[in-house]
Amino acid sequence: MKKHHINGNYPINDFKTGESWRLFKIMGEFVEGIDALHNLGPAVSIFGSARTDCDHPYYKKCENLAALFAQKGYSVITGGGGGIMEAANKGAATGGADSIGLNITLPFEQKPNPYATTQIEFKYFFVRKVMFLKYAQAFIIMPGGFGTLDELFETITLIQTQRIRKVPVILVGKVYWEGMVHWVKDQFIKEKMISEKDLSLFHLLDDPEEIVRVVADFHKDR
């Protein structure tokens, strides 16, 4: 009979008796990320699908948006892969800003794009997420799938629970996101899962120049 070991290739299952030394690997990832980014100036984290083709309107909009942020003095942080991440890194690099790629080691999809001027490799998602959150003055949510939704809702939750400071969270693409936003309003509010004021934790916008202005104005007022 073939035995299936729980550890396998899943990093979160690596912890077992006698393997607490793996914590040093996690600490090492934190140290490497902080060392690489501690001098980073104002920055925005841009999330979105790795599957978006370079000819897609979402790709082109994200590239333009990242370039506008770069022109305003913002560095751009992405997951370092293809699709929307590549578009954001490309736009930032074209605009002359620091273009940061926080790449995750995955068995498929994720390959580093060539436009990130700083690439950091991570094995553990939770360490990588800390880097996204620690250094960003805004979170830009382009169209994406499960991973993007995870990043969106975790970010909003951390702001809601005051685990991180309040900064703009902007959903880009009204056609793409408005169904989810309506569902949040209809179900979460109706069932009293969130309060009305929690709806102010994010914006739904389309125009790149307006998005940059919302971020700049937020921090100017502070």
Side-chain angles (χ1 to χ4, degrees), residues 11 47 58 65 68 72 92 112 115 150 160 163 166 168:
F47 304 121
Y58 294 149
L65 176 59
L68 288 175
K72 292 293 184 179
Y115 300 105
D150 172 59
Q160 180 199 47
R163 298 298 90 186
K166 184 176 182 179

Side-chain angles (χ1 to χ4, degrees), residues 12-31:
I12 198 65
N13 293 323
D14 280 350
F15 304 109
K16 62 181 183 181
T17 303
E19 291 193 347
S20 58
W21 58 268
R22 293 182 188 275
L23 292 172
F24 290 100
K25 290 186 177 181
I26 295 172
M27 291 171 59
E29 288 199 354
F30 275 118
V31 170

Side-chain angles (χ1 to χ4, degrees), residues 69-100:
F69 271 117
Q71 292 166 17
K72 292 293 184 179
Y74 288 91
S75 300
V76 171
I77 304 169
T78 82
I84 292 298
M85 295 175 281
E86 178 183 290
N89 284 134
K90 184 178 181 181
T94 300
D98 287 331
S99 181
I100 312 299

